[in-house]
Amino acid sequence: GPRQPSGFALRFLVAMLLAGLAAKMLSKMLNDESAFLWTAVSTCICLQVRSGSTVLKSLLRVLGTCLGAGLGLLGVYIAHGNGTSQMLIVPIVVFALKFFEMEMQYAGAVAVYSYGLLTSAAAFNHIDVALVRTASVLTGVAIAIVVSIFVAPDRATDSFRALEKSGLDALADAVAGAAAALAAEGGLDAGSGILPSS
């Protein structure tokens, strides 16, 4: 119905306004402009039409970000600044994440991106990059979840109940129409249940 698009539009507007404000504050606190982009992008990507879908995608994004950051820091530590060793670790990490693709779903892609981001940040402090990205993603995800739950929420269960009611109403109309047709054909007064006398 028309309520769903308008509800989602309202949620998206509120979420992006909050994400913009939070991202600006976070980028000033962390003294890193990239925090603004990651916060806004996380909110935009994770906010879905249904509240349940928003929570699921948000949790997968957090999982992927934390896993990718952890693997990235581990890879940098193992390589000890050796570019060749670092490049050799990349296919191992990608293969391992690909192996668990079905279980991780969207989190796998996020983990690969986060891992690549950290390992390629040669000119920066890797720990700082990991902290800024993780904090930004957590902030964006939290905004998406809160807005999805409290601002004109659209829950899958509500939609299912409305669809179920619509189906039952249609079934009742069909049964009533069939009964009326049978009554008319057999000379039965629809609604009375009394056969005409011969």
Side-chain angles (χ1 to χ4, degrees):
R3 189 183 72 84
Q4 293 178 1
S6 62
F8 179 71
L10 175 61
R11 287 196 304 279
F12 189 82
L13 175 62
V14 172
M16 294 315 297
L17 287 173
L18 291 176
L21 292 172
K24 192 168 185 178
M25 292 173 58
L26 192 62
S27 62
K28 284 186 178 181
M29 288 172 55
L30 300 175
N31 196 25
D32 193 321
E33 290 299 325
S34 63
F36 186 93
L37 176 64
W38 288 334
T39 302
V41 167
S42 295
T43 300
C44 183
I45 290 177
C46 292
L47 189 65
Q48 304 292 302
V49 175
R50 305 290 181 214
S51 300
S53 300
T54 298
V55 173
L56 176 60
K57 191 150 194 174
S58 297
L59 292 177
L60 290 174
R61 187 167 183 84
V62 170
L63 172 63
T65 300
C66 294
L67 181 60
L71 291 174
L73 291 175
L74 181 62
V76 169
Y77 175 77
I78 293 174
H80 286 293
N82 187 316
T84 303
S85 299
Q86 197 163 305
M87 289 303 297
L88 289 174
I89 296 173
V90 172
I92 298 174
V93 171
V94 172
F95 176 78
L97 292 173
K98 183 69 176 176
F99 185 77
F100 294 102
E101 181 180 16
M102 292 297 294
E103 291 81 7
M104 295 183 64
Q105 302 175 37
Y106 169 66
V110 177
V112 171
Y113 176 79
S114 299
Y115 174 81
L117 184 70
L118 259 75
T119 55
S120 64
F124 304 97
N125 186 321
H126 299 283
I127 296 178
D128 287 347
V129 173
L131 290 176
V132 169
R133 175 160 171 77
T134 304
S136 303
V137 169
L138 287 173
T139 302
V141 160
I143 291 171
I145 291 175
V146 169
V147 169
S148 179
I149 292 174
F150 294 106
V151 178
D154 280 326
R155 291 176 286 268
T157 52
D158 295 338
S159 299
F160 177 76
R161 286 169 185 162
L163 184 63
E164 186 180 38
K165 182 181 182 302
S166 175
L168 290 174
D169 289 342
L171 178 62
D173 291 341
V175 170
L182 288 173
E185 184 178 344
L188 176 67
D189 183 14
S192 69
I194 302 174
L195 286 170
S197 57
S198 54

